Amino acid sequence: MERQRIKPKDVPPRSDFPSLIFSEDGVLCGTYGIPTEQPELSDPGELRHLFLKNLGREREGFLRFCASRPDRPSFRLYSVTVGPYRAAFAEKAELLSTPVTAVFLAPSPTAFYLLMSPSSAYAADAVNRILFELSYLMNGGSPAFSSLSPEIYSVAERIPCLAEALFSRRCGVRCCDMEKILSVTAASLAPLPSFGSCRLRCETGRSSAERAGEVYGIERLAELPVEAFAAVLTALLLMAADLTADGEISLTLTDRGMIREVAVRVNTDCLSDGCREEEGADGLFLLPEAFHSRVRFLSALCVLTHMDLCVSTSDTEEIPTRNGRQVRALSVSLLIGAEPPPLLDFKYSEPERAVPAIVRETAALLAASVPAPGEKDHA
């Protein structure tokens, strides 16, 4: 595209937030409302470098988003640290008859409900409507469950357990045994029709002595937003059931030092070419569009509750499929905690008891976005 600086008057009125304007090839071609008193924010080259560096694993996915030309409105949500800002909302736009990507910055991702008003195209389906309302309410838009106002009705009706946890002071964060969370999630999903023809293999790496209670695996403990974690895990496993090319799904719990990794792995023929190395949630947008609302749901929950998502793909041995497409291994990991395992105290708690209700309401919410038979074959 022709290099030209976007003037503030060219930026749409919706950008009450400070914003960055990126070209299709990822060049920062304009800014609006960025404070200039900080040297790293005043120079476009330094600002672009800072923003892309802060995207981390999301960098390649963001650059693909810049280069894309969606037929309908599309957005991405990111955690960043750029000056006083901690979140970014990216959407496709057109300025001066040129396709660009507008990136809005805010201190918190909950503030972005202003960019997802109920009248916008983003709220056209149930999942995006829920994301708008969650962000609105977490930003203090209305006292949670004080009354069934129009703003909270569908949240209270569709995902009451998850919403109540997210509206709490710490978003439902508490100490839990992650192996129990995984076990209860898998057991709650098993009766669903989606899993009727799937084999879910759970591996936790705990020894038989630990399982018998002779040695307690404290490395399995973590402080995490239990309900949000269960909802994201449910969304991932439901998606894996739709994606699997051989009926197999793998769920593993391992340690990366002080980080606990929960990985969902599946062989699928639904991936377009692109993601090879580790990426963030944007790597899942390489799946067909029928899955994108579910991807937005789980990636938004991760951003809102400070969980980290890692996506990678690799070639695998050829598995016979009906459509003859290349089968690749897809791995999606939730990375939990950067702190030492919490110390046990006398308090008694069973956070895993919250999981079955979360599985039920998440499965019901995402049912509207499940692709019809054969729809996932169209990339």
Side-chain angles (χ1 to χ4, degrees):
M1 64 175 287
E2 180 184 354
R3 297 288 183 266
Q4 50 190 331
R5 185 163 183 80
I6 306 299
K7 300 180 180 61
K9 67 181 180 62
D10 298 316
V11 180
R14 64 181 290 134
S15 59
D16 295 329
F17 298 95
S19 59
L20 313 175
I21 309 298
F22 286 86
S23 67
E24 291 177 291
D25 52 0
V27 172
L28 180 60
C29 57
T31 63
Y32 174 75
I34 302 294
T36 58
E37 60 272 13
Q38 301 184 47
E40 70 273 18
L41 302 184
S42 59
D43 179 82
E46 289 294 322
L47 180 55
R48 177 184 183 275
H49 173 76
L50 178 63
F51 178 76
L52 294 180
K53 179 181 178 181
N54 267 270
L55 287 178
R57 280 189 292 264
E58 303 283 9
R59 182 180 186 276
E60 294 304 316
F62 172 75
L63 293 176
R64 280 199 305 269
F65 185 59
C66 289
S68 67
R69 288 173 172 263
D71 295 329
R72 60 185 184 182
S74 183
F75 69 87
R76 303 282 192 271
L77 191 61
Y78 302 105
S79 292
V80 296
T81 301
V82 178
Y85 312 112
R86 297 296 178 268
F89 181 100
E91 68 173 354
K92 304 303 296 185
E94 187 172 289
L95 296 176
L96 307 178
S97 302
T98 302
V100 296
T101 298
V103 177
F104 302 96
L105 302 174
S108 166
T110 61
F112 292 133
Y113 77 89
L114 290 168
L115 304 179
M116 299 171 61
S117 69
S119 61
S120 76
Y122 297 136
D125 61 44
V127 169
N128 284 340
R129 172 71 185 185
I130 291 295
L131 292 179
F132 157 73
E133 291 174 352
L134 284 177
S135 298
Y136 172 75
L137 292 168
M138 290 176 72
N139 197 61
S142 176
F145 303 110
S146 60
S147 63
L148 287 181
S149 65
E151 289 79 16
I152 71 171
Y153 180 77
S154 67
V155 171
E157 181 183 54
R158 289 177 178 267
I159 52 170
C161 297
L162 176 60
E164 187 170 9
L166 293 180
F167 300 151
S168 66
R169 185 174 62 87
R170 298 186 66 216
C171 290
V173 174
R174 52 200 188 276
C175 178
C176 69
D177 181 333
M178 293 188 66
E179 184 178 1
K180 288 184 178 180
I181 297 292
L182 268 59
S183 176
V184 175
T185 302
S188 301
L189 281 167
L192 298 181
S194 303
F195 280 79
S197 58
C198 296
R199 179 171 177 261
L200 178 60
R201 294 179 290 116
C202 294
E203 302 174 8
T204 65
R206 286 183 73 171
S207 68
S208 58
E210 287 175 329
R211 293 192 187 96
E214 297 172 20
V215 180
Y216 194 82
I218 194 170
E219 72 277 3
R220 301 303 177 200
L221 295 177
E223 283 195 330
L224 54 82
V226 174
E227 286 82 0
F229 175 81
V232 170
L233 185 58
T234 297
L236 285 174
L237 289 171
L238 287 172
M239 191 159 60
D242 285 332
L243 290 170
T244 180
D246 55 5
E248 299 282 335
I249 303 172
S250 172
L251 177 62
T252 61
L253 170 61
T254 54
D255 296 314
R256 291 188 179 185
M258 290 187 294
I259 302 292
R260 264 68 72 197
E261 176 186 16
V262 176
V264 176
R265 295 183 177 90
V266 65
N267 293 322
T268 182
D269 58 358
C270 295
L271 278 167
S272 58
D273 198 23
C275 175
R276 293 281 180 173
E277 303 299 326
E278 287 189 351
E279 287 195 16
D282 273 15
L284 292 174
F285 285 104
L286 292 170
L287 294 170
E289 192 173 302
F291 294 94
H292 288 188
S293 62
R294 285 186 276 179
V295 174
R296 282 194 294 273
F297 175 76
L298 63 90
S299 61
L301 277 187
C302 287
V303 172
L304 289 170
T305 56
H306 309 291
M307 292 189 290
D308 195 11
L309 201 65
C310 177
V311 179
S312 63
T313 67
S314 61
D315 293 330
T316 186
E317 296 181 4
E318 185 175 353
I319 300 174
T321 58
R322 289 180 299 175
N323 56 21
R325 296 178 121 191
Q326 179 185 6
V327 174
R328 298 170 66 191
L330 171 66
S331 177
V332 185
S333 298
L334 274 164
L335 305 176
I336 304 296
E339 303 292 334
L343 296 176
L344 296 177
D345 60 23
F346 64 89
K347 294 178 181 178
Y348 179 76
S349 176
E350 292 182 303
E352 65 274 9
R353 296 182 65 178
V355 171
I358 294 293
V359 171
R360 287 193 298 270
E361 66 185 34
T362 303
L365 171 66
L366 299 181
S369 64
V370 172
E375 187 176 353
K376 71 176 183 179
D377 295 336
H378 302 290

